[in-house]
Amino acid sequence: MEYLLGMDGGGTGTKVTAADMDGNILGRLEAGALNGNGQSPGRLKETVAQMVKALEAQGFAPEGCAGLGAGVAGISNRAAGEAVRAGLADAGFTC
């Protein structure tokens, strides 16, 4: 099944929504904080791993992801951006 992901990461928590290609909501989840200015790259990767585990538990396999849009606090911090991207890529989410 193809789906899209939207991620809103901030200092107090992260919300992720999965939708089908027509925009119908398929699932939602929440995870820990995702803030590049207040967390180490290692902690950012841990939060991404938590999100990935929750996505997979809801049946959203990485290979079904057709696209991902993310708003993440502090993402302009180069190390933070790389940590988030690496965490997603390590789990197979290259969409």
Side-chain angles (χ1 to χ4, degrees):
M1 159 184 63
E2 270 195 328
Y3 62 90
L4 303 168
L5 288 176
M7 182 185 344
D8 179 13
T12 59
T14 301
K15 296 179 181 178
V16 180
T17 300
D20 66 18
M21 302 307 283
D22 293 320
N24 299 304
I25 304 299
L26 301 174
R28 295 178 187 200
L29 64 96
E30 294 189 18
L34 200 61
N35 183 342
N37 290 325
Q39 295 173 292
S40 69
R43 181 67 189 122
L44 293 170
K45 287 179 84 172
E46 288 173 19
T47 300
V48 170
Q50 177 187 28
M51 288 185 309
V52 167
K53 187 174 183 178
L55 283 166
E56 290 176 335
Q58 290 188 24
F60 298 108
E63 56 272 5
C65 184
L68 183 146
V72 178
I75 200 72
S76 60
N77 173 329
R78 186 178 200 99
E82 286 303 315
V84 171
R85 280 188 285 280
L88 289 165
D90 288 351
F93 282 88
T94 57
C95 51

